[in-house]
Amino acid sequence: QVQLVESGGGLVQAGGSLRLSCTASGRTFRTYAMAWFRQAPGKEREFVAAISWSGSRTDYADLVKGRFTISRDNAKNTVYLQMNSLKPEDTAVYYCGADPSFGLTYYGNYDYWGQGTQVTVSS
C-alpha cells in the first residue's frame, strides 16, 4: 500500500514557475515508478511526466517537454515536478501516481493516487 500527498500548487502568472511535491508513505516507495498527471475541468486526466524507481529514466508529454522536469529523492520518499514557463493552458489539478512499471501514460494503469493539488496560471 502506498499513500501519496501532493503539495505546492497555487496561483501564478503566465511565464512563472512552481514546484510540486508528492510525498509517499511506506518503505516501498523506492520500488515504484512515479508519474504526474493533470486534469482540467471537463477533460480526462492526462499524462504529464514519469520517472523510474531509480530516477535514471524519465518521460514527458510533448506539451511540457523543455518546460517541466520530474525528479525524485528516495531518501525523502518524494517526487517533484518543477514547472517553468507556465502557460494558462497548464491550469489543472495535478495528481501524482505510483506503479511498479515505468512509463505508463494511461491513468487507468495506476493503482495509487494522491488527492491532487490545484495549479492555476493567469494570463
Side-chain angles (χ1 to χ4, degrees):
Q1 193 87 11
V2 177
Q3 294 182 324
L4 306 172
V5 178
E6 300 97 333
S7 62
L11 174 64
V12 63
Q13 288 188 330
S17 298
L18 282 174
R19 188 176 82 155
L20 306 183
S21 299
C22 172
T23 300
S25 63
R27 292 174 290 179
T28 59
F29 172 76
R30 64 188 64 212
T31 68
Y32 283 85
M34 301 295 296
W36 287 96
F37 283 70
R38 67 187 183 187
Q39 189 166 18
K43 294 189 176 181
E44 192 171 82
R45 192 169 298 191
E46 65 176 1
F47 172 76
V48 174
I51 189 165
S52 62
W53 68 269
S54 66
S56 62
R57 291 181 292 169
T58 57
D59 188 25
Y60 296 92
D62 288 343
L63 287 174
V64 307
K65 278 182 182 176
R67 299 190 297 124
F68 291 9
T69 303
I70 189 171
S71 62
R72 68 189 294 162
D73 184 339
N74 286 342
K76 296 182 178 180
N77 279 14
T78 301
V79 61
Y80 303 99
L81 185 69
Q82 178 66 44
M83 306 186 295
N84 298 328
S85 303
L86 283 161
K87 304 175 182 180
E89 50 264 45
D90 294 318
T91 296
V93 178
Y94 283 70
Y95 298 89
C96 66
D99 192 89
S101 300
F102 167 71
L104 303 176
T105 59
Y106 176 56
Y107 69 88
N109 291 126
Y110 286 78
D111 292 331
Y112 302 107
W113 292 100
Q115 83 290 347
T117 186
Q118 176 71 47
V119 171
T120 303
V121 185
S122 63
S123 57

